[in-house]
Amino acid sequence: PMPIKTPRNENFAKLSAGYLFPIVAKKRKEYVEAHPDAKVISMGIGDTTHPLPAHIADAMAAYSKGLGTREGYEGYDPKSESLLKAKIAEKLYPGLDIKPDEVFVSDGSKCDIGRLNILFGFHAKVAVQDPAYPVYVDSSVIFGRSGTINETTKQYDGVTYMPCNPENDFFPDLTPALSSDIIYFCNPNNPTGACCNREQLTKLVNFAKEHGKVILFDSAYSAFIKDPAYPKSIFEIPGAKEVALETTSFSKLAGFTGVRLGWVVCPAELKFADGTPVKQDLGRIMSTLFNGAASVSQIGGLAVLDDLKPVQDIVDYYLENARLVRECLTELGIKFYGGVNAPYTFVHFPGRDSWEVFDEILHKCQVVTTPGVGFGPAGQGFIRISAFAHRENVLEACARFRANLKA
């Protein structure tokens, strides 16, 4: 066939390989096809597994049925959006003076990260934690914020990588970000499971204020923070409203990975150098490129916030899974990090290749994990174990680890 003459976005050619999680899924599929009798347990991709609480599913079902009636039908701009914004501000940011018009309801954090890329000039440079959720780097590459990948370091030219490792307690030296404009920061961190204390986040905010940087703060896993010494929101830190946006979602808070619902908080105090409020441009992006989260999802979100205890109980269920994994690894003498105020445990195999360890655990234990190096060069030698699984599968996976792994 004749190819089109329209030029391709040349930045796609810079992407080094396929997106991490489809590669993990492909390896799992190939193993299952080769070993059809194997009972493979997935503790890799961070997808929730627990059913939605009944009151949430019932609320969405009743609303959906109502859409089939004249009285219950809604199209664009459902009434739920303004209610949801107000309830997010009230229930999830108590005492922080977040206003409903500073909350932008969306279809989830990953989509928001793509939209937020549009918010800043295309020549703006980015800094990321290393390792980090791959979307930060990959989306930056697609939007032209990088050069090509360095095959030796496995890092993109033009992107600043801030190593997070046991030696620095997984909190990076921020100095390299002096050459960047945007700092991506995920807390609790995916994949390391590290969670920053108040002093560390204060250091991050003060750095951004002193040097005029913006922080894109991803708090998708904040529901897993149980220790009050660890802030759930960047806006608990004085001055953060002048330098940060926060993106998060109902995916891990309430098991909405398929339902799709999230939000961005963009404070009125955050302004560009010319004085333009950042929320003004974000509002334009959301109205121009997005028609809003599905009304059914918004009804689900309202039900979540009307009674948070059932979803908090599910979060506790996953945290108990993480505790069981930590207990098992401790017995085996295998070094690990995280898994306390986060659903991920970052397991260290010094001197080994992450993909080699992934393959060994898949073949010896029939358990799918995630290679740490897939999140960045500093993740080499680690694998990530997810607590998002049914309890019986976690117990079985731990039994297989005890039988087949050693320090």
Side-chain angles (χ1 to χ4, degrees):
M2 179 69 71
I4 61 171
K5 296 180 180 179
T6 309
R8 179 191 187 196
N9 176 350
E10 61 189 15
N11 295 306
F12 280 97
K14 298 177 187 175
L15 292 169
S16 61
Y19 186 57
L20 171 63
F21 299 111
I23 296 174
V24 170
K26 180 174 180 286
K27 280 179 166 281
R28 180 189 192 281
K29 180 174 180 286
E30 289 171 349
Y31 181 83
V32 169
E33 287 174 351
H35 305 83
D37 296 329
K39 295 181 179 178
V40 176
I41 296 172
S42 180
M43 299 181 73
I45 297 171
D47 192 3
T48 52
T49 56
H50 204 287
L52 296 178
H55 81 282
I56 299 170
D58 288 347
M60 290 191 288
Y63 177 82
S64 298
K65 191 170 183 180
L67 290 174
T69 67
R70 182 187 292 266
E71 298 77 23
Y73 179 76
E74 289 186 300
Y76 295 132
D77 302 320
K79 295 185 291 290
S80 54
E81 183 160 332
S82 60
L83 298 172
L84 184 58
K85 289 181 175 187
K87 193 145 284 190
I88 287 170
E90 173 198 350
K91 296 275 191 160
L92 301 178
Y93 296 90
L96 298 182
D97 195 29
I98 298 298
K99 299 173 178 60
D101 69 351
E102 296 172 324
V103 178
F104 294 81
V105 174
S106 73
D107 51 348
S109 287
K110 181 188 283 190
C111 307
D112 281 331
I113 290 163
R115 286 185 283 260
L116 290 173
N117 262 291
I118 303 170
L119 193 55
F120 304 101
F122 291 158
H123 297 296
K125 296 296 184 183
V126 302
V128 297
Q129 293 159 291
D130 177 21
Y133 184 40
V135 173
Y136 309 144
V137 171
D138 286 5
S139 64
S140 297
V141 173
I142 290 169
F143 276 89
R145 293 201 166 98
S146 79
T148 56
I149 195 164
N150 183 313
E151 292 298 338
T152 301
T153 64
K154 301 301 181 184
Q155 297 178 337
Y156 286 94
D157 294 335
V159 173
T160 297
Y161 294 78
M162 302 181 293
C164 300
N165 50 50
E167 289 69 35
N168 60 20
D169 195 26
F170 293 96
F171 184 82
D173 175 11
L174 299 170
T175 309
L178 284 170
S179 61
S180 301
D181 305 290
I182 302 165
I183 301 172
Y184 281 102
F185 207 92
C186 180
N187 188 70
N189 184 263
N190 175 18
T192 68
C195 189
C196 293
N197 58 35
R198 197 169 300 275
E199 179 184 354
Q200 290 169 323
L201 290 182
T202 299
K203 187 180 296 185
L204 173 65
V205 168
N206 289 345
F207 177 89
K209 287 186 68 176
E210 182 179 349
H211 301 289
K213 313 300 182 184
V214 68
I215 302 164
L216 299 189
F217 193 80
D218 184 349
S219 62
Y221 300 94
S222 60
F224 290 82
I225 299 176
K226 297 298 180 179
D227 188 334
Y230 296 84
K232 289 191 170 188
S233 169
I234 191 67
F235 301 121
E236 294 181 42
I237 306 302
K241 290 183 179 181
E242 300 168 30
V243 293
L245 300 97
E246 183 165 294
T247 173
T248 188
S249 86
F250 284 84
S251 288
K252 306 311 192 296
L253 164 66
F256 275 29
T257 51
V259 174
R260 306 308 307 155
L261 187 66
W263 71 92
V264 173
V265 174
C266 184
E269 293 90 330
L270 183 65
K271 296 180 180 179
F272 290 109
D274 67 358
T276 304
V278 174
K279 72 188 281 282
Q280 175 182 309
D281 289 359
L282 180 56
R284 183 62 183 267
I285 289 170
M286 297 300 272
S287 62
T288 304
L289 301 179
F290 185 55
N291 260 338
S295 55
V296 176
S297 302
Q298 295 185 39
I299 295 299
L302 285 168
V304 170
L305 297 175
D306 281 338
D307 184 5
L308 279 164
K309 188 179 185 306
V311 297
Q312 290 171 336
D313 288 345
I314 295 170
V315 167
D316 289 341
Y317 176 97
Y318 292 133
L319 284 171
E320 173 62 12
N321 286 348
R323 188 196 67 78
L324 291 168
V325 170
R326 298 197 318 272
E327 179 181 78
C328 172
L329 294 170
T330 300
E331 287 179 23
L332 291 169
I334 296 174
K335 190 68 177 174
F336 63 88
Y337 303 89
V340 179
N341 289 294
Y344 299 127
T345 304
F346 211 45
V347 190
H348 200 190
F349 295 85
R352 296 194 59 190
D353 176 73
S354 293
W355 281 107
E356 176 189 300
V357 176
F358 168 90
D359 286 334
E360 179 180 320
I361 293 174
L362 178 57
H363 284 264
K364 283 187 175 181
C365 305
Q366 290 79 53
V367 176
V368 176
T369 58
T370 310
V373 73
F375 297 92
Q380 184 61 278
F382 292 85
I383 55 126
R384 188 193 76 174
I385 296 179
S386 170
F388 296 116
H390 296 299
R391 180 65 45 77
E392 62 270 22
N393 287 341
V394 174
L395 292 170
E396 174 62 23
C398 288
R400 294 180 189 179
F401 292 159
R402 289 184 175 99
N404 296 286
L405 296 183
K406 58 183 178 180

